[in-house]
């Protein structure tokens, strides 16, 4: 054994257990393991989770807020416009430096798996993707990384973007992105989705699109994405992020689309931080929240995840980034507050995300990958309430981050 974690509390259990790890795998999980020669970490009754996920992170744009003018309207179109000015000058090394800074913060918060979105289009070319592929190399000791070839300016309305996405995949991107709702017409949105599926089939890659990320209740990209997923037999391989238009769909149409999404075995990623800030800017009162219908999706058995979309960029000026904070945010915005609902929220940044990314060796059990986070809290409820320090973060059986800050009252 190379590492033993003692006195760990696991979800759904009341007793303490020890977790024995050998190299990058979990060997044994049971109470009172015998002494070993390897490193020992005393969890002291803290909750231990498998490594946390952030499956929707625009790391090529992170921290641009430090050097760019603020987004005065607060809307998505202005964010896109400001970023374009900068993307024309993208340099992969500079992109990687910012991405690594934000990912290091994420790792210290227990993230061991990132899906990074790289803008690919005629404005920035392949520079963003190259930067994130460089960041992936630099961070490989700390976390697993997938890079999405993401057409931020559309595909039909940005001629040349599809060819650049194809190139980005040849250079190492692993997921096909998409932004169909951003096209000018519904016909073009469907064409956009068709092109993404053509690329996914050509390279045998999964798909992660931003669907219906608009206040327009008539946006119809999620419906067609679900239909296409079924027709192309891509069940279990497609994630749709945001889907905030769902908040404005009429109830009958929403029920139909939720049913299609469930039948297509899709994942919906709700990135609450950015939508609470960017959506419904031109609503008077009552203001919509721009959030997908989480409870209806969960009730229909849809795999729902949550993620930190942005870290201090023209779209969103905050972002720690911390999956526990994301979980707390979705608990608030989707009103998930009962004990069983808090467990559903914890699933979104752990097992549901593992399912979305099709990671099969995930969990605290013998044979699974030894990616773990020891929280400074004894339960999911307390973790969501206090967002405690991540006492230890383990990646592939090795301790890669540790919290040392001790807060205490004086006087
Ligand atoms: Zn996004």
């Amino acid at each position: 054994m190379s590492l033993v974690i003692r006195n760990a509390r696991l979800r759904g259990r009341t007793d303490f257990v020890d977790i024995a790890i050998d190299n990058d795998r979990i060997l044994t999980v049971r109470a009172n393991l015998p002494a070993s020669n390897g490193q020992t970490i005393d969890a002291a009754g803290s909750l231990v989770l498998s490594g946390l996920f952030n499956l929707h992170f625009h790391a090529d744009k992170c921290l641009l807020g430090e050097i760019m003018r603020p987004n005065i309207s607060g809307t998505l179109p202005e964010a896109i416009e400001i970023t374009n000015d900068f993307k024309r000058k993208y340099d992969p090394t500079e992109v990687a430096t910012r991405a690594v800074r934000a990912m290091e913060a994420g790792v210290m918060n227990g993230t061991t798996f990132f899906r990074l979105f790289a803008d690919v289009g005629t404005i920035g070319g392949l520079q963003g993707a190259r930067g994130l592929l460089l960041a992936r190399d630099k961070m490989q000791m700390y976390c697993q990384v997938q890079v999405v070839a993401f057409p931020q300016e559309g595909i039909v309305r940005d001629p040349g973007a599809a060819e650049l996405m194809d190139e980005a995949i040849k250079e190492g991107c692993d997921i096909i992105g998409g932004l169909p709702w951003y096209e000018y017409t519904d016909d073009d949105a469907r064409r956009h989705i068709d092109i993404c599926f053509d690329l996914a089939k050509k390279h045998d890659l999964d798909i992660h699109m931003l669907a219906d990320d608009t206040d327009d209740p008539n946006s119809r990209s999620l419906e067609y994405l679900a239909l296409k997923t079924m027709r192309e037999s891509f069940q279990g391989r497609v994630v749709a992020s945001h889907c905030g238009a769902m908040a404005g769909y009429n109830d009958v149409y929403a029920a139909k689309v939720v049913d299609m999404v469930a039948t297509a075995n899709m994942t919906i990623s709700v990135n609450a931080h950015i939508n609470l800030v960017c959506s419904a800017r031109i609503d008077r009162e009552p203001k919509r929240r721009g959030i997908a219908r989480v409870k209806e999706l969960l009730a229909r058995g849809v795999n729902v995840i949550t993620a930190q979309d942005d870290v201090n960029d023209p779209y969103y000026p905050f972002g720690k980034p911390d999956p526990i904070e994301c979980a707390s945010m979705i608990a608030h915005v989707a009103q998930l507050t009962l004990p069983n609902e808090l467990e559903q929220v914890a699933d979104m940044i752990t097992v549901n995300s593992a399912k979305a990314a099709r990671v099969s060796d995930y969990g605290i059990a013998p044979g699974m990958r030894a990616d773990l986070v020891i929280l400074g809290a004894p339960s999911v409820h307390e973790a969501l309430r206090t967002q405690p320090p991540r006492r230890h973060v383990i990646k592939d059986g090795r301790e890669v981050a540790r919290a040392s800050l001790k807060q205490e009252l004086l006087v």
Side-chain angles (χ1 to χ4, degrees), residues 303-323:
N303 193 47
V304 177
I305 66 172
T306 188
Q308 180 69 57
D309 197 305
D310 300 84
V311 174
N312 191 13
D313 65 18
Y315 296 71
Y316 180 77
F318 313 114
K320 291 168 76 172
D322 178 1

Side-chain angles (χ1 to χ4, degrees), residues 56-58 117 150 152 210 213 241-242 271 274 309-310:
H56 184 135
F57 179 23
H58 296 273
F117 281 64
F150 174 59
Q152 175 72 76
L210 280 58
D213 183 15
S241 280
H242 300 295
N271 311 329
I274 182 172
D309 197 305
D310 300 84

Side-chain angles (χ1 to χ4, degrees), residues 193 197 209 211 220-235 238 240 256-266 268:
I193 291 170
F197 271 88
M209 288 198 197
R220 293 292 181 259
S221 62
L222 180 59
E223 172 190 70
Y224 186 70
L225 180 59
L227 183 69
K228 189 80 178 169
T229 301
M230 291 186 272
R231 282 187 180 160
E232 299 290 352
S233 300
F234 259 61
Q235 287 92 339
V238 177
K256 184 195 81 167
V257 174
V258 167
D259 196 59
M260 290 175 71
V261 165
T263 307
N265 195 15
M266 290 170 61
I268 301 293

Side-chain angles (χ1 to χ4, degrees), residues 54-64 76 83 87 90 95 98-99 102-103 114-120 132 148 150-152 178-179 208-210 213 241-242 271 274 307-315:
N54 184 355
L55 285 191
H56 184 135
F57 179 23
H58 296 273
D60 57 341
K61 291 178 271 210
C62 72
L63 302 171
L64 283 178
L76 287 176
T83 317
K87 278 197 322 201
Y90 259 178
V95 170
R98 282 186 287 102
M103 290 163 75
F114 291 90
R115 184 175 275 181
L116 308 181
F117 281 64
D119 284 11
V120 174
L132 295 189
V148 183
F150 174 59
Q152 175 72 76
L179 189 69
H208 191 149
M209 288 198 197
L210 280 58
D213 183 15
S241 280
H242 300 295
N271 311 329
I274 182 172
Q308 180 69 57
D309 197 305
D310 300 84
V311 174
N312 191 13
D313 65 18
Y315 296 71

